Amino acid sequence: YFLPESDHPQAELYRAGILWWLIRQHQAGTLDDAGHFFDYVRRPDTYTGRNLPPAIIAAQLDRLAGEQAEDGGWPSPYATHWRGWGTVQNLLTLRAFGQV
């Protein structure tokens, strides 16, 4: 959880590791859903938001929007009572990236 700015001495190492992992997961197509990708890239001004290739972010934003259900919400990989929380998080992510 070194995504926010932190004074931890190894913060840059961990951020770089997350960046590398996200690129690899995107290339391999092994992320379960776009929402999990954006757990690590909440806003464009974060370390990962600034350093990921724009094409990867754009593809994941398209994927996230495409996962929205007809009723406006997003499915939850967990219990159904998490659906509202996930929907709000996804909408905040889309708004942060200028998609809503």
Side-chain angles (χ1 to χ4, degrees):
Y1 294 80
F2 287 92
L3 298 177
E5 297 305 316
S6 169
D7 291 335
H8 190 280
Q10 293 178 320
E12 286 300 313
L13 175 67
Y14 289 115
R15 287 187 197 116
I18 290 168
L19 186 68
W20 174 85
W21 179 79
L22 287 171
I23 292 169
R24 296 289 306 215
Q25 295 296 307
H26 174 79
Q27 291 173 336
T30 55
L31 286 168
D32 292 340
D33 59 60
H36 281 109
F37 176 86
F38 287 105
D39 286 343
Y40 301 96
V41 192
R42 283 283 175 212
R43 298 178 322 273
D45 62 338
T46 61
Y47 176 87
T48 50
R50 290 189 315 268
N51 290 292
L52 277 169
I56 290 177
I57 293 174
Q60 291 296 330
L61 284 167
D62 288 346
R63 184 177 173 200
L64 182 63
E67 292 171 351
Q68 188 175 22
E70 197 171 294
D71 67 359
W74 273 262
S76 173
Y78 312 110
T80 56
H81 65 270
W82 285 103
R83 188 168 187 255
W85 183 87
T87 294
V88 169
Q89 293 304 310
N90 291 338
L91 288 170
L92 289 172
T93 297
L94 289 171
R95 183 175 75 176
F97 283 92
Q99 302 294 306
V100 248

